[in-house]
Amino acid sequence: MTAYSLDEGSYSVDSSKKFVPFNEKTDKKADRKGSMFIHVHPFLIQTARDLILLDSGLGYADADEELVLHQNIRKSGYEPSQVSLVLLSHLHQDHVGGMVTKKNGRLNLAFPDAEYVVQRGEWEYGYSGSGSYKTDVMDVLQRSGNLHFVEGSGRLNDEVTYELTGGHTPYHQAFHVNADGDHYFFGADVLPEPEELQHKFAAKYDYDGRKSMELRQQYGELAAAEDWVVLFYHSTNIAIGRVQLVQNTFKIVQA
Ligand SMILES: [Zn+2]
């Protein structure tokens, strides 16, 4: 396996869109009515040419201002400085927080040697004030010279393709990565959890819930037919899985 889940923990999210840490051993779900319960885990994939980070989490740091994301990369056997490509599905706070690191009150790029791949429309939408975007984090990337815009769908290199999906945000994108003979699919918030393949619903938190629902079905079918390894960013159980379609029902197994 050349993919790693970089688990940043468990959270509840209510209509205020604030992420509140949720300790599964001591906190009770009943005390947080109207909340969704999710995990946050960026992914790391080692390919022949790059060490790729897929989305960057909430950006929590320890008392010494070290990013949990950096610690998790080390636990997987790599140095943060080895990350050469950061692929960003969209720019919501729980996906971009770890793009930057804070030292003595100053924000710096968390992966200064990496190219950050962003969908241009998502970037412009983020600055337009239409949604809940953290533009202070985006400003750091803007100034860095590490920003690589893509538009629509296409190929980044011989291992990575990107696909403009919309659905969750107007310019949300998904990524396909070929590594070690496997086809990895990162659908981010269009396919955030295995359960969303098993229950058909249009979610209120999506920009276009109906489109997301249709995309999930299509990606699920392709994943099963082509034996993709699917990375589920908000999964509370299987984060890296393969999809089977058994009698019209999706089943997800640990990859
Ligand atoms: Zn999102």
Side-chain angles (χ1 to χ4, degrees), residues 90 92 94-95 168-169 189 234:
H90 66 301
H92 281 162
D94 54 322
H95 295 256
H168 180 64
T169 65
D189 280 4
H234 289 306

Side-chain angles (χ1 to χ4, degrees), residues 32-88:
R32 301 191 189 178
K33 289 228 162 65
S35 291
M36 300 198 320
F37 296 88
I38 57 171
H39 279 234
V40 172
H41 28 84
F43 294 95
L44 197 64
I45 302 182
Q46 174 73 72
T47 71
R49 62 179 285 164
D50 282 302
L51 184 61
I52 301 178
L53 178 69
L54 291 143
D55 284 351
S56 66
L58 283 152
Y60 281 119
D62 68 9
D64 297 324
E65 299 194 301
E66 197 195 12
L67 280 178
V68 172
L69 180 62
H70 280 180
Q71 293 166 358
N72 283 340
I73 290 171
R74 289 203 178 90
K75 279 185 209 155
S76 304
Y78 296 92
E79 281 302 315
S81 60
Q82 290 176 276
V83 173
S84 50
L85 204 53
V86 179
L87 304 179
L88 295 161

Side-chain angles (χ1 to χ4, degrees), residues 207-229:
Y207 173 76
D208 184 344
R210 186 142 208 103
K211 184 167 189 201
S212 280
M213 183 179 81
E214 287 165 8
L215 285 168
R216 287 198 292 275
Q217 180 72 24
Q218 290 165 19
Y219 284 133
E221 286 171 11
L222 280 168
E226 299 179 6
D227 198 27
W228 295 353
V229 179

Side-chain angles (χ1 to χ4, degrees), residues 111-147:
F111 303 95
D113 300 319
E115 194 170 80
Y116 288 62
V117 178
V118 178
Q119 187 73 222
R120 187 186 291 276
E122 176 71 10
W123 185 262
E124 287 164 1
Y125 186 74
Y127 273 117
S128 73
S130 316
S132 46
Y133 288 84
K134 296 191 75 167
T135 50
D136 56 336
V137 170
M138 293 165 65
D139 288 343
V140 178
L141 182 55
Q142 167 109 299
R143 285 195 303 268
S144 68
N146 297 41
L147 180 55

